[in-house]
Amino acid sequence: MKSCGAQRNALTRREFLAASGALVIGFSLAPSSLRAQKPPGPKLPGSLDANPMLDSWLRIDADGGITLFTGKAELGQGVKTALIQIAAEQLYVSPQRIRLITADTRQTPDEGYTAGSNSMKDSGTAIMNAAAQVREILIARAAERLGVAADRLKAQEGAVVADDGRRLGFGELVVDGLTKVRADGQSKLKDPAAYSIIGKSMSRVDIPAKVTGGAAYVQDLRLPGMVHARVVRPPSYGARLRELQTAAVEKMPGVLKVVRDGSFVAVVAAHEYEAIQAMRSLAAAARWEERATLPEQAEFYAYLQKLPADIIVDLDRQAAGSPGARSFEASYRRPYQMHGAIGPSCAVGLFKDGVLTVWTHSQGVYPLRKSIAEMLRLPEDRVQCIHVEGSGCYGHNAADDAAADAALIARAFPDRPVRVQWMREHEHQWEPYGPAMLTSVKAALDSAGNIVTWDYEVTSNTHSMRPGGAGNLLPAWHLETPFAPAAPKPIPLPEGGGDRNAIPFYRVPSVHVVHRFVPAMPVRVSALRALGAYMNVFSIESFIDELAQAAGADPVDFRLRHLDDPRARDVVSLAAARFGWASYVRAPGRGRGFAFARYKNLAAYVALALEVDVNREKGSVRVVRAVAAVDSGQAVNPDGIRNQIEGGIIQSSSWTLHEAVEFDTTSIKSADWSRYPILRFPEIPESIDVHVIDRPGAAFLGTGEAAQGPTAAAIGNAIAYATGARIRELPFDRKRVRSAIGV
Amino acid sequence: MIELNINGRTQSVDAAPDTPLLYVLRDHLAMNGAKFGCGLGQCGACTVMVDGDAVFSCLTPISIVAGRRIKTVEGLGTIENPGPLQRAFIDEQAAQCGYCIAGMMMRAQALLEKNPSPSDAEIRRHLMPNLCRCGTQMRIFRAVRRAAQAMQAGDGASERSRA
């Protein structure tokens, strides 16, 4: 693996070590061009396969300090805590001894995006194996030093201890290059039966600062000499700046510079509120040319259905045998829905000595670096992106765009850190939404009431327009020399995009699943938590209830008789039992609903039973209580899993009951929380119980997005049970519910 | 210069009188607790207390809070020595991203200072102005209830020790 690139990294590392004065097992960051040359051999576990050098994951200082590196980012999902737990377990140290560095192009491995509920599978698996191998290396080194066999040694709280009582601290065992070796994925992992950290709930490492006013977010960064900027966003997608008088604004208090490049306009000021006032004045002074680029919202679904589509056949399995005795069909609709971060996106940029550094809450610092370098026409090694937590993002929101804003403004105003935060209306109107979708399904039951054929079609835009290039960064569209968005691509199965979870998990002899991929995107879209799985699981699980009703079967029994996977059956049975499904007595206005999905058909299993209360007069629906069962494989931090599932249930309830982006033919009308209402506190359920089925030693199964789809379907099923009205269009807002139940 | 009483300390601030308190706290005084969320009084991320009431600091010009008692999440305790409400949020693990949490806590603190034993319905109603997008409301609710109990037990204990 020797090359100029690797040597340059090694030099950088030595320089870094010289500066820090520590004897360490540094780190290896092989440029991505080198990763393609990895030697043949079995695939290494998780992200080790792409980043095989052990010292890119773990560093042990001469003082015994342990530093863990991950390319994944904390998004509020608790990943930092879980990764520390995994490393601590395999190193036989307490979690408090481990310092964790997250996504940073200067120091961590490139693990792509923190997305898709993949962090535990990718990074967790890599860290588990890397830490086990580092422990074995330390023990082997101690065996050499102490002159005893390795099997007489064990790791214990930062030291290697011999059975005769002699001990050597990890720091004493460190020599340069000790772990500058490739991972082999062969090290003996700790026996899951002996786990004392994994599988036990651990308090999140990030929470104390968050509840005491600590500097916890990129929004809280205050670098020496920092100034504040705001961007004047165009009023609509098709707007172009025709005229802008800046002289008056340049004289406003605190204003340091007005930056303009084509239709990209920003202002830099000494204080934040001065920047906001100057931005408002600039916005008032700007003259824009607007164009109607959007379809009529009232006819939107018909418009979407007619847009040209690429046909992708996800599955075509035709079994010989009896055609169904009775067939049924239904179709479902989902509007554009937004991420709606509570904290508008933010970034800090510094352009100094020809190097741009951006502090960002992007989900992918490496892809962002590539995109920003392209936008600024800088070599990639002149751009560094450092993840700092932001407000929860739930997918690809405006984080990368804010980072691009900071990059552009910092270049125009060099040598001082520039902090830019979006305004609420900008976040609401410009973030890339979760795509609107259409699904339709036809299925047949045989005479025994079993599903024999299933024919499903999903129509959707792409679910990822993440920055893989400058054209996917919003401000790059508005430059004098603009960058156009990359051609949208579908995300292939098994992950899937619009067709994520489009293939039913149930046993059906003949299945035909088609993804109608629509390239044209009138409204800006990208990845929203769960991608197409939210809509596909809503559709499938609603229709399963409709079929169960047609078959005269209980919805839980009907699911169980079409499920072969024992783990799927376990979550279904457990959720039903803990809810009291079988003994449920319907009260007036109340109803129960059930849903199940295995996220992506390969990650966590979630079954959910819930009860709703439907106010017939108002049309309002409230989830009264919910009981979920989840199998995430080996549970690392059970309370973290519960927190994610509880949060997913509430967030998805909000999407499902309230949320749809509104637009006219020119602009987005959902500019703030009054035009895009979300769930508020009085609507929360009385209880949400999440039961975690731990599978010690089993693979980690991603969980963070697993509740989104089941929640929507369970609510729809419960409304149908309570009122007799089946609603197939999201959201179930008051107007739609009243109309469905005929009030 | 305007004098502000923040968490029991008087601070002089050189900012225009119409500057919203939020920006003075964050930018002039380098305090992190109050957050910018909407600037419209719709989300509550910026909530602080003024003379015991929860207010949106994004809509409150400093000119009208001069000399009044301003309390922020920094005034409830420290990371080394968290106050009862902060302790309850840690114990309940009542955060995901946590961006809304300081605002939630200040609105809850305003409730508990006026009504030390609120009913469940009162807690839910009182927190309505504050949005949480991660869906952590169940835990936030439990943390507020836990803090109420802890504060009452704590008051009882200190009264007993005085007696």
Side-chain angles (χ1 to χ4, degrees), chain A residues 589-637:
Chain A
R590 295 284 178 102
R592 67 178 185 189
F594 198 91
F596 158 79
R598 183 179 188 194
Y599 185 51
K600 297 193 274 192
N601 289 341
L602 52 76
Y605 300 81
V606 170
L608 178 62
L610 55 76
E611 181 174 25
V612 297
D613 183 89
V614 182
N615 182 317
R616 292 186 65 89
E617 304 305 313
K618 293 182 184 165
S620 60
V621 176
R622 179 175 164 234
V623 177
V624 179
R625 66 188 176 103
V627 177
V630 54
D631 174 350
S632 305
Q634 168 74 63
V636 175
N637 190 354

Short mmCIF file of all heavy atoms in Angstrom, two decimals, chain A residues 589-637:
data_model
loop_
_atom_site.label_atom_id
_atom_site.label_comp_id
_atom_site.label_asym_id
_atom_site.label_seq_id
_atom_site.Cartn_x
_atom_site.Cartn_y
_atom_site.Cartn_z
N GLY A 589 -65.42 5.63 19.71
CA GLY A 589 -64.43 6.56 19.18
C GLY A 589 -63.01 6.02 19.21
O GLY A 589 -62.09 6.65 18.71
N ARG A 590 -62.85 4.85 19.80
CA ARG A 590 -61.51 4.27 19.91
C ARG A 590 -61.33 3.14 18.89
O ARG A 590 -62.30 2.54 18.45
CB ARG A 590 -61.29 3.70 21.32
CG ARG A 590 -61.28 4.76 22.44
CD ARG A 590 -59.97 5.50 22.44
NE ARG A 590 -59.92 6.56 23.45
CZ ARG A 590 -59.27 6.44 24.62
NH1 ARG A 590 -58.67 5.32 24.95
NH2 ARG A 590 -59.23 7.46 25.46
N GLY A 591 -60.08 2.87 18.58
CA GLY A 591 -59.79 1.72 17.72
C GLY A 591 -58.35 1.30 17.90
O GLY A 591 -57.50 2.09 18.34
N ARG A 592 -58.08 0.03 17.58
CA ARG A 592 -56.72 -0.49 17.68
C ARG A 592 -56.19 -0.74 16.27
O ARG A 592 -56.96 -1.05 15.35
CB ARG A 592 -56.70 -1.78 18.49
CG ARG A 592 -57.42 -2.89 17.75
CD ARG A 592 -57.40 -4.22 18.46
NE ARG A 592 -58.04 -5.21 17.57
CZ ARG A 592 -58.35 -6.44 17.91
NH1 ARG A 592 -58.09 -6.87 19.12
NH2 ARG A 592 -58.91 -7.26 17.04
N GLY A 593 -54.88 -0.61 16.11
CA GLY A 593 -54.28 -0.89 14.81
C GLY A 593 -52.94 -1.57 15.00
O GLY A 593 -52.25 -1.35 16.01
N PHE A 594 -52.57 -2.37 14.01
CA PHE A 594 -51.34 -3.14 14.10
C PHE A 594 -50.55 -2.96 12.82
O PHE A 594 -51.12 -2.74 11.75
CB PHE A 594 -51.66 -4.64 14.28
CG PHE A 594 -50.51 -5.44 14.82
CD1 PHE A 594 -50.36 -5.62 16.18
CD2 PHE A 594 -49.57 -6.00 13.96
CE1 PHE A 594 -49.30 -6.36 16.69
CE2 PHE A 594 -48.50 -6.74 14.46
CZ PHE A 594 -48.37 -6.91 15.82
N ALA A 595 -49.23 -3.04 12.91
CA ALA A 595 -48.40 -3.06 11.70
C ALA A 595 -47.06 -3.68 12.04
O ALA A 595 -46.62 -3.67 13.19
CB ALA A 595 -48.20 -1.66 11.14
N PHE A 596 -46.44 -4.21 11.00
CA PHE A 596 -45.13 -4.85 11.15
C PHE A 596 -44.29 -4.54 9.92
O PHE A 596 -44.80 -4.45 8.81
CB PHE A 596 -45.28 -6.38 11.26
CG PHE A 596 -44.01 -7.11 10.88
CD1 PHE A 596 -42.95 -7.20 11.77
CD2 PHE A 596 -43.85 -7.63 9.60
CE1 PHE A 596 -41.76 -7.83 11.40
CE2 PHE A 596 -42.66 -8.26 9.22
CZ PHE A 596 -41.62 -8.36 10.12
N ALA A 597 -43.00 -4.37 10.12
CA ALA A 597 -42.06 -4.37 8.98
C ALA A 597 -40.68 -4.73 9.48
O ALA A 597 -40.33 -4.45 10.64
CB ALA A 597 -42.02 -3.02 8.29
N ARG A 598 -39.92 -5.34 8.61
CA ARG A 598 -38.50 -5.45 8.86
C ARG A 598 -37.87 -4.37 7.98
O ARG A 598 -37.97 -4.42 6.74
CB ARG A 598 -37.98 -6.83 8.46
CG ARG A 598 -36.50 -6.93 8.81
CD ARG A 598 -35.89 -8.26 8.48
NE ARG A 598 -34.53 -8.26 9.05
CZ ARG A 598 -33.60 -9.14 8.75
NH1 ARG A 598 -33.86 -10.13 7.91
NH2 ARG A 598 -32.39 -9.05 9.28
N TYR A 599 -37.24 -3.38 8.62
CA TYR A 599 -36.76 -2.23 7.87
C TYR A 599 -35.80 -2.65 6.76
O TYR A 599 -34.83 -3.39 7.01
CB TYR A 599 -36.08 -1.22 8.81
CG TYR A 599 -35.67 0.05 8.11
CD1 TYR A 599 -36.58 0.74 7.31
CD2 TYR A 599 -34.38 0.55 8.21
CE1 TYR A 599 -36.21 1.89 6.64
CE2 TYR A 599 -34.00 1.70 7.56
CZ TYR A 599 -34.92 2.36 6.76
OH TYR A 599 -34.55 3.51 6.09
N LYS A 600 -36.08 -2.19 5.56
CA LYS A 600 -35.31 -2.53 4.36
C LYS A 600 -35.36 -4.03 4.05
O LYS A 600 -34.60 -4.53 3.22
CB LYS A 600 -33.84 -2.08 4.46
CG LYS A 600 -33.67 -0.58 4.58
CD LYS A 600 -32.24 -0.14 4.38
CE LYS A 600 -31.44 -0.19 5.65
NZ LYS A 600 -30.15 0.51 5.54
N ASN A 601 -36.20 -4.76 4.75
CA ASN A 601 -36.24 -6.23 4.67
C ASN A 601 -34.92 -6.87 5.09
O ASN A 601 -34.71 -8.06 4.86
CB ASN A 601 -36.64 -6.71 3.26
CG ASN A 601 -38.11 -6.43 2.95
OD1 ASN A 601 -38.90 -6.21 3.87
ND2 ASN A 601 -38.46 -6.41 1.69
N LEU A 602 -34.02 -6.08 5.72
CA LEU A 602 -32.75 -6.67 6.16
C LEU A 602 -32.24 -6.08 7.48
O LEU A 602 -31.23 -6.52 8.00
CB LEU A 602 -31.67 -6.50 5.06
CG LEU A 602 -31.43 -5.12 4.46
CD1 LEU A 602 -30.65 -4.21 5.38
CD2 LEU A 602 -30.71 -5.25 3.12
N ALA A 603 -32.93 -5.07 8.01
CA ALA A 603 -32.45 -4.46 9.25
C ALA A 603 -33.41 -4.81 10.39
O ALA A 603 -33.90 -5.94 10.45
CB ALA A 603 -32.28 -2.95 9.07
N ALA A 604 -33.66 -3.87 11.31
CA ALA A 604 -34.43 -4.20 12.52
C ALA A 604 -35.88 -4.61 12.20
O ALA A 604 -36.49 -4.11 11.26
CB ALA A 604 -34.44 -3.00 13.47
N TYR A 605 -36.37 -5.50 13.03
CA TYR A 605 -37.78 -5.92 12.96
C TYR A 605 -38.58 -5.06 13.94
O TYR A 605 -38.19 -4.95 15.10
CB TYR A 605 -37.94 -7.36 13.41
CG TYR A 605 -37.18 -8.41 12.63
CD1 TYR A 605 -35.82 -8.64 12.87
CD2 TYR A 605 -37.83 -9.21 11.70
CE1 TYR A 605 -35.14 -9.63 12.19
CE2 TYR A 605 -37.16 -10.21 11.01
CZ TYR A 605 -35.81 -10.41 11.26
OH TYR A 605 -35.13 -11.39 10.59
N VAL A 606 -39.66 -4.48 13.48
CA VAL A 606 -40.52 -3.70 14.38
C VAL A 606 -41.97 -4.11 14.18
O VAL A 606 -42.47 -4.15 13.06
CB VAL A 606 -40.38 -2.18 14.13
CG1 VAL A 606 -41.46 -1.41 14.90
CG2 VAL A 606 -39.01 -1.68 14.55
N ALA A 607 -42.62 -4.45 15.29
CA ALA A 607 -44.07 -4.63 15.27
C ALA A 607 -44.67 -3.63 16.24
O ALA A 607 -44.07 -3.32 17.28
CB ALA A 607 -44.45 -6.05 15.67
N LEU A 608 -45.83 -3.14 15.88
CA LEU A 608 -46.40 -2.03 16.62
C LEU A 608 -47.91 -2.20 16.73
O LEU A 608 -48.58 -2.45 15.73
CB LEU A 608 -46.07 -0.73 15.86
CG LEU A 608 -46.59 0.58 16.38
CD1 LEU A 608 -46.01 0.87 17.75
CD2 LEU A 608 -46.19 1.70 15.42
N ALA A 609 -48.40 -2.10 17.95
CA ALA A 609 -49.85 -2.07 18.16
C ALA A 609 -50.16 -0.76 18.84
O ALA A 609 -49.43 -0.33 19.75
CB ALA A 609 -50.28 -3.23 19.04
N LEU A 610 -51.19 -0.10 18.40
CA LEU A 610 -51.53 1.17 19.05
C LEU A 610 -53.04 1.37 19.05
O LEU A 610 -53.79 0.70 18.34
CB LEU A 610 -50.81 2.34 18.38
CG LEU A 610 -50.95 2.58 16.88
CD1 LEU A 610 -52.28 3.19 16.53
CD2 LEU A 610 -49.83 3.50 16.40
N GLU A 611 -53.44 2.31 19.89
CA GLU A 611 -54.85 2.65 20.01
C GLU A 611 -55.02 4.12 19.68
O GLU A 611 -54.21 4.95 20.09
CB GLU A 611 -55.34 2.39 21.44
CG GLU A 611 -56.83 2.69 21.63
CD GLU A 611 -57.36 2.30 23.00
OE1 GLU A 611 -56.54 2.23 23.95
OE2 GLU A 611 -58.57 2.07 23.12
N VAL A 612 -56.05 4.43 18.90
CA VAL A 612 -56.33 5.83 18.60
C VAL A 612 -57.67 6.24 19.18
O VAL A 612 -58.54 5.39 19.44
CB VAL A 612 -56.35 6.14 17.08
CG1 VAL A 612 -54.99 5.88 16.45
CG2 VAL A 612 -57.46 5.39 16.37
N ASP A 613 -57.79 7.55 19.36
CA ASP A 613 -59.06 8.14 19.72
C ASP A 613 -59.44 9.09 18.58
O ASP A 613 -58.65 9.96 18.22
CB ASP A 613 -58.92 8.92 21.04
CG ASP A 613 -60.24 9.49 21.49
OD1 ASP A 613 -60.96 8.79 22.20
OD2 ASP A 613 -60.55 10.64 21.11
N VAL A 614 -60.60 8.88 17.99
CA VAL A 614 -61.03 9.71 16.87
C VAL A 614 -62.16 10.62 17.34
O VAL A 614 -63.20 10.14 17.80
CB VAL A 614 -61.52 8.85 15.68
CG1 VAL A 614 -61.90 9.75 14.50
CG2 VAL A 614 -60.44 7.86 15.27
N ASN A 615 -61.94 11.91 17.24
CA ASN A 615 -62.99 12.88 17.57
C ASN A 615 -63.79 13.14 16.29
O ASN A 615 -63.32 13.80 15.38
CB ASN A 615 -62.34 14.17 18.09
CG ASN A 615 -63.37 15.20 18.50
OD1 ASN A 615 -64.36 15.41 17.81
ND2 ASN A 615 -63.14 15.84 19.63
N ARG A 616 -64.98 12.59 16.24
CA ARG A 616 -65.77 12.64 15.00
C ARG A 616 -66.13 14.06 14.60
O ARG A 616 -66.16 14.40 13.42
CB ARG A 616 -67.06 11.83 15.14
CG ARG A 616 -66.82 10.33 15.27
CD ARG A 616 -68.15 9.57 15.25
NE ARG A 616 -68.83 9.71 13.97
CZ ARG A 616 -68.65 8.88 12.94
NH1 ARG A 616 -67.82 7.87 13.04
NH2 ARG A 616 -69.31 9.06 11.82
N GLU A 617 -66.41 14.90 15.59
CA GLU A 617 -66.82 16.27 15.27
C GLU A 617 -65.66 17.05 14.63
O GLU A 617 -65.81 17.70 13.61
CB GLU A 617 -67.26 17.01 16.54
CG GLU A 617 -68.38 16.33 17.31
CD GLU A 617 -69.59 16.08 16.43
OE1 GLU A 617 -70.00 17.02 15.72
OE2 GLU A 617 -70.12 14.94 16.42
N LYS A 618 -64.51 16.96 15.28
CA LYS A 618 -63.35 17.73 14.80
C LYS A 618 -62.59 17.01 13.69
O LYS A 618 -61.85 17.64 12.94
CB LYS A 618 -62.37 17.97 15.96
CG LYS A 618 -62.89 18.88 17.06
CD LYS A 618 -61.80 19.04 18.10
CE LYS A 618 -62.28 19.87 19.28
NZ LYS A 618 -61.37 19.74 20.42
N GLY A 619 -62.73 15.70 13.64
CA GLY A 619 -61.91 14.94 12.69
C GLY A 619 -60.50 14.72 13.22
O GLY A 619 -59.62 14.24 12.49
N SER A 620 -60.27 15.07 14.46
CA SER A 620 -58.90 14.92 14.98
C SER A 620 -58.66 13.50 15.48
O SER A 620 -59.56 12.84 15.98
CB SER A 620 -58.65 15.92 16.11
OG SER A 620 -59.56 15.70 17.16
N VAL A 621 -57.44 13.07 15.30
CA VAL A 621 -57.04 11.72 15.70
C VAL A 621 -55.88 11.84 16.67
O VAL A 621 -54.95 12.61 16.43
CB VAL A 621 -56.59 10.89 14.48
CG1 VAL A 621 -56.08 9.52 14.92
CG2 VAL A 621 -57.71 10.76 13.46
N ARG A 622 -55.95 11.09 17.75
CA ARG A 622 -54.82 11.08 18.69
C ARG A 622 -54.43 9.64 18.98
O ARG A 622 -55.30 8.79 19.18
CB ARG A 622 -55.25 11.78 19.98
CG ARG A 622 -54.18 11.82 21.02
CD ARG A 622 -54.59 12.61 22.27
NE ARG A 622 -53.67 12.27 23.33
CZ ARG A 622 -54.03 11.82 24.53
NH1 ARG A 622 -55.30 11.70 24.83
NH2 ARG A 622 -53.12 11.49 25.42
N VAL A 623 -53.14 9.38 18.95
CA VAL A 623 -52.66 8.07 19.38
C VAL A 623 -52.69 8.07 20.91
O VAL A 623 -52.06 8.92 21.55
CB VAL A 623 -51.24 7.79 18.87
CG1 VAL A 623 -50.73 6.45 19.40
CG2 VAL A 623 -51.21 7.81 17.35
N VAL A 624 -53.45 7.15 21.48
CA VAL A 624 -53.62 7.13 22.93
C VAL A 624 -52.49 6.36 23.60
O VAL A 624 -51.93 6.78 24.60
CB VAL A 624 -54.98 6.50 23.30
CG1 VAL A 624 -55.16 6.46 24.81
CG2 VAL A 624 -56.11 7.28 22.65
N ARG A 625 -52.20 5.19 23.05
CA ARG A 625 -51.08 4.42 23.58
C ARG A 625 -50.50 3.57 22.47
O ARG A 625 -51.20 3.25 21.49
CB ARG A 625 -51.51 3.54 24.77
CG ARG A 625 -52.46 2.44 24.39
CD ARG A 625 -53.01 1.73 25.64
NE ARG A 625 -54.00 0.73 25.25
CZ ARG A 625 -53.75 -0.59 25.22
NH1 ARG A 625 -52.57 -1.06 25.57
NH2 ARG A 625 -54.69 -1.43 24.85
N ALA A 626 -49.23 3.24 22.60
CA ALA A 626 -48.56 2.43 21.58
C ALA A 626 -47.65 1.44 22.28
O ALA A 626 -47.04 1.75 23.31
CB ALA A 626 -47.76 3.31 20.64
N VAL A 627 -47.59 0.24 21.73
CA VAL A 627 -46.69 -0.79 22.24
C VAL A 627 -45.90 -1.33 21.05
O VAL A 627 -46.48 -1.77 20.06
CB VAL A 627 -47.47 -1.94 22.91
CG1 VAL A 627 -46.51 -3.04 23.36
CG2 VAL A 627 -48.28 -1.42 24.08
N ALA A 628 -44.59 -1.26 21.15
CA ALA A 628 -43.75 -1.74 20.06
C ALA A 628 -42.86 -2.87 20.55
O ALA A 628 -42.47 -2.89 21.73
CB ALA A 628 -42.89 -0.61 19.51
N ALA A 629 -42.57 -3.79 19.66
CA ALA A 629 -41.53 -4.78 19.93
C ALA A 629 -40.49 -4.64 18.83
O ALA A 629 -40.84 -4.50 17.65
CB ALA A 629 -42.12 -6.19 19.93
N VAL A 630 -39.22 -4.63 19.23
CA VAL A 630 -38.15 -4.42 18.25
C VAL A 630 -37.03 -5.42 18.45
O VAL A 630 -36.65 -5.72 19.58
CB VAL A 630 -37.63 -2.95 18.31
CG1 VAL A 630 -37.22 -2.58 19.72
CG2 VAL A 630 -36.48 -2.72 17.34
N ASP A 631 -36.56 -5.95 17.35
CA ASP A 631 -35.41 -6.86 17.36
C ASP A 631 -34.33 -6.19 16.51
O ASP A 631 -34.45 -6.13 15.29
CB ASP A 631 -35.83 -8.21 16.78
CG ASP A 631 -34.65 -9.19 16.61
OD1 ASP A 631 -33.49 -8.76 16.75
OD2 ASP A 631 -34.92 -10.37 16.31
N SER A 632 -33.31 -5.65 17.18
CA SER A 632 -32.20 -4.98 16.50
C SER A 632 -30.98 -5.87 16.46
O SER A 632 -29.85 -5.39 16.38
CB SER A 632 -31.85 -3.68 17.24
OG SER A 632 -32.97 -2.86 17.36
N GLY A 633 -31.19 -7.17 16.58
CA GLY A 633 -30.05 -8.08 16.69
C GLY A 633 -29.41 -7.91 18.05
O GLY A 633 -30.12 -7.73 19.06
N GLN A 634 -28.08 -7.95 18.10
CA GLN A 634 -27.40 -7.66 19.36
C GLN A 634 -27.73 -6.22 19.76
O GLN A 634 -27.34 -5.27 19.07
CB GLN A 634 -25.89 -7.80 19.19
CG GLN A 634 -25.08 -7.25 20.34
CD GLN A 634 -25.15 -8.12 21.58
OE1 GLN A 634 -24.71 -9.26 21.57
NE2 GLN A 634 -25.72 -7.58 22.66
N ALA A 635 -28.44 -6.05 20.84
CA ALA A 635 -28.75 -4.71 21.33
C ALA A 635 -27.51 -4.17 22.04
O ALA A 635 -26.96 -4.85 22.90
CB ALA A 635 -29.94 -4.75 22.28
N VAL A 636 -27.04 -3.00 21.67
CA VAL A 636 -25.86 -2.42 22.33
C VAL A 636 -26.31 -1.54 23.49
O VAL A 636 -25.91 -1.74 24.62
CB VAL A 636 -24.99 -1.64 21.33
CG1 VAL A 636 -23.84 -0.95 22.07
CG2 VAL A 636 -24.45 -2.58 20.27
N ASN A 637 -27.16 -0.57 23.20
CA ASN A 637 -27.68 0.31 24.25
C ASN A 637 -29.21 0.24 24.21
O ASN A 637 -29.85 0.97 23.46
CB ASN A 637 -27.20 1.75 24.02
CG ASN A 637 -27.50 2.67 25.21
OD1 ASN A 637 -28.17 2.26 26.16
ND2 ASN A 637 -27.01 3.89 25.15
#
